[in-house]
Amino acid sequence: MTEPAKGLFIRTHGCQMNVYDSERMTDILRPLGYRAVDTPEAADLVILNTCHIREKATEKVFSELGVLKRLKDEAGGKMRIAVAGCVAQAEGEEIMRRQPAVDIVVGPQSYHRLPELIAQVSRQTGDRLATDFDVVDKFDALAIDREVDGPSAFLSIQEGCDKFCTFCVVPYTRGPEYARSAVEIIDEAKALVDRGVREIVLLGQNVNAWRGAAPDGGGEWELGALIARLSQLGGLERIRYTTSHPRDMTDDLIFAHRDVAKLAPYLHLPVQSGSDRILKAMNRGHDAKRYLTIIETARKHRPDLAVASDFIVGFPGETEADFEATLALVREVRFASAFAFKYSPRPGTPAASLPGAVPDAEKDERLQRLQAEIGRGQQAFNSATVGRVLRVIFGRPGRRPGQALGYSPYLQPVHVDDAASWIGRSADVEIRSATQSSLSGEIRAHAELRT
Ligand code: SAH
Ligand code: SF4
Ligand code: F3S
């Protein structure tokens, strides 16, 4: 018997793991009759999938909940509100206390319990808060049909983090490192490719910490071996993985960049700072030299590799000299892109109680200088692709009518005019111009023969 259709609205904040989880929550709620709707007003169930990484992200949750409460009141209380994600995990009880309009709080490892939690709310019995760390249960229960949307799909292969960088909440919100089995991952990838997916993005908080038993009993695999196996799937064009940690970077993965044609020449390897003193205080487990050696080795085997990173400015005790070491590292590596954040003290993390807080004005000033330096590298990287022909996978329309937007192997956004018919497919594009943030070009005529 099919259930009557109910509206589901999920708002997702934070990283790609949350995007993946939101898709899986949609999948798990489909058998209950929930269908995605475009606005919270039209929804019977609204899920806020939250991020705890910086203070701003967390504060957003409470202001959004205020708005949702008003909508719920207007709907005569019929709407259900659930809070999921990392704020749910870290501050579940506080959320329930501060906003009584919230019906359900569900942490990232407990999404498979959503149907049960919804039933309990209707019956007004049982738990409304689920924040256990049962990641095995999660993936077992989520092993159901996925709906795909476009040519590119996320596939979560690893969760959690044991690194305990002193600034970061992730080890507390996502729990210890857990790797899904190779067999499970290959099956999910096959199902995606059967549904027309051309690009798979392997996800993990520390994706290169993934290890697993080889499916044929041939010992243990590292990420490079998994990627090599996935590359054998016919119809799959491109594989990416994100985010990696320098401590888990092995030769096996670097060699995959040399040997596996379908592996995109793109490495997101956050370094956070260029100062050894700060890296130590952050508990990153490596110094700047080690980072530079990894990049050098990777580029030796894959010279066109696009390298991306994350940075934090204004970590407690960061001096002008420390910050300049970061700028120097940026100049040396020449990143294809990078994210820079102002340090945000997170309750319960060791760095939050360190002395030497950097004034906000100084953080702002460093952020601007760092972003300018990153921008120069990004412009140079993009400009160097002008005149080249790059394979682009087109996922959606661009801003101009008829325009298609896709991504190059180096994860550069590429706009092509009069190319709407290419959306959902890939084509060879001759790059004609570059800005700091994107490229534009034209489809090469012969590309049609190749798809
Ligand atoms: N696992 C990844 C990153 C996860 S969080 C890694 O180890 O690199 C994504 C990024 O958010 C981090 O790389 C870091 O740059 C930033 N970040 C994490 N905690 C932060 C904090 N307290 N303040 C500012 N930025 C932070
Ligand atoms: Fe956070 Fe560090 Fe773990 Fe990345 S490696 S998730 S920054 S604790
Ligand atoms: Fe945010 Fe949680 Fe991801 S804190 S960055 S949503 S792992």
Side-chain angles (χ1 to χ4, degrees):
M1 206 182 77
T2 44
E3 300 260 348
K6 288 175 271 215
L8 169 66
F9 183 83
I10 306 186
R11 179 164 290 143
T12 309
H13 297 287
C15 62
Q16 289 149 323
M17 311 284 297
N18 266 12
V19 175
Y20 176 85
D21 283 342
S22 290
E23 289 170 3
R24 306 317 314 277
M25 284 191 265
T26 309
D27 291 334
I28 210 168
L29 293 172
R30 196 171 302 113
L32 273 75
Y34 285 96
R35 297 291 178 270
V37 290
D38 295 334
T39 60
E41 285 86 347
D44 299 280
L45 173 63
V46 176
I47 302 178
L48 280 190
N49 196 2
T50 60
C51 174
H52 198 48
I53 203 85
R54 283 168 288 273
E55 194 180 348
K56 257 201 196 131
T58 306
E59 272 315 305
K60 217 185 268 171
V61 176
F62 288 101
S63 64
E64 282 187 352
L65 284 175
V67 175
L68 288 176
K69 180 193 182 304
R70 280 198 295 282
L71 291 182
K72 182 174 179 168
D73 290 345
E74 281 162 23
K78 238 177 63 223
M79 174 198 277
R80 301 272 180 242
I81 301 174
V83 181
C86 292
V87 183
Q89 186 67 42
E91 296 185 8
E93 300 198 350
E94 166 86 1
I95 293 169
M96 289 275 192
R97 204 175 48 74
R98 261 175 80 177
Q99 187 44 276
V102 172
D103 297 288
I104 292 169
V105 169
V106 58
Q109 265 62 255
S110 307
Y111 295 148
H112 53 288
R113 293 189 51 201
L114 263 174
E116 163 203 337
L117 292 166
I118 293 170
Q120 278 164 355
V121 170
S122 305
R123 290 199 305 267
Q124 300 188 320
T125 57
D127 283 350
R128 297 189 299 130
L129 183 134
T131 49
D132 339 306
F133 275 127
D134 226 342
V135 75
V136 184
D137 279 2
K138 167 180 173 174
F139 283 114
D140 282 353
L142 291 182
I144 52 168
D145 265 3
R146 286 188 60 176
E147 200 156 85
V148 307
D149 175 24
S152 179
F154 290 140
L155 202 176
S156 193
I157 67 167
Q158 184 275 343
E159 278 234 18
C161 179
D162 301 329
K163 304 281 189 294
F164 291 95
C165 301
T166 53
F167 52 80
C168 183
V169 292
V170 171
Y172 312 97
T173 63
R174 293 275 173 167
E177 286 181 5
Y178 168 81
R180 290 178 76 189
S181 80
V183 175
E184 224 176 290
I185 295 165
I186 295 165
D187 285 349
E188 191 168 328
K190 270 189 194 143
L192 289 171
V193 173
D194 286 347
R195 287 172 186 205
V197 164
R198 288 160 186 266
E199 175 184 75
I200 290 181
V201 187
L202 304 174
L203 298 181
Q205 259 90 24
N206 290 295
V207 72
N208 58 342
W210 184 89
R211 301 285 181 274
D216 42 19
E220 189 179 68
W221 273 1
E222 293 183 7
L223 183 58
L226 178 69
I227 288 172
R229 170 61 65 89
L230 293 175
S231 75
Q232 291 166 6
L233 294 174
L236 183 63
E237 280 191 55
R238 190 184 283 166
I239 302 169
R240 300 185 184 284
Y241 60 94
T242 197
T243 298
S244 304
H245 194 288
R247 262 157 73 187
D248 294 315
M249 207 62 206
T250 60
D251 285 346
D252 165 79
L253 185 53
I254 290 177
F255 294 155
H257 276 289
R258 178 192 63 192
D259 300 333
V260 180
K262 289 182 185 177
L263 178 58
Y266 177 87
L267 172 63
H268 187 155
L269 195 66
V271 62
Q272 315 298 355
S273 169
S275 152
D276 288 345
R277 218 173 58 82
I278 296 297
L279 286 170
K280 190 151 195 278
M282 288 177 163
N283 190 34
R284 291 290 290 179
H286 63 86
D287 56 13
K289 186 160 171 283
R290 168 78 190 129
Y291 185 84
L292 294 170
T293 307
I294 295 170
I295 302 302
E296 194 189 342
T297 312
R299 281 184 170 149
K300 194 169 90 201
H301 295 289
R302 181 78 208 208
D304 66 338
L305 190 74
V307 181
S309 186
D310 296 349
F311 292 93
I312 294 177
V313 297
F315 186 82
E318 185 187 71
T319 61
E320 175 63 23
D322 293 318
F323 176 67
E324 276 168 19
T326 299
L327 289 179
L329 182 135
V330 173
R331 271 181 228 116
E332 181 160 356
V333 174
R334 292 166 287 112
F335 291 99
S337 69
F339 299 100
F341 307 102
K342 286 194 286 181
Y343 170 70
S344 169
R346 308 305 293 127
T349 59
S353 48
L354 285 179
V358 176
D360 203 49
E362 215 151 306
K363 285 186 195 166
D364 277 327
E365 193 249 356
R366 287 181 191 169
L367 185 69
Q368 276 183 26
R369 284 160 69 198
L370 179 57
Q371 281 173 336
E373 195 62 62
I374 290 168
R376 280 190 279 278
Q378 207 163 324
Q379 176 74 59
F381 186 88
N382 288 347
S383 297
T385 54
V386 173
R388 286 184 60 191
V389 174
L390 302 179
R391 187 125 263 236
V392 175
I393 300 181
F394 291 101
R396 56 193 159 94
R399 243 186 251 141
R400 285 211 289 265
Q403 196 180 50
L405 173 62
Y407 285 87
S408 78
Y410 309 107
L411 204 60
Q412 298 152 295
V414 183
H415 302 272
V416 180
D417 287 330
D418 303 321
S421 64
W422 286 96
I423 295 168
R425 296 189 287 158
S426 62
D428 288 337
V429 173
E430 186 171 330
I431 305 305
R432 292 283 167 83
S433 64
T435 68
Q436 193 176 303
S437 54
S438 69
L439 307 177
S440 42
E442 282 176 22
I443 308 264
R444 287 273 292 249
H446 76 266
E448 290 195 43
L449 302 174
R450 296 185 41 185
T451 24

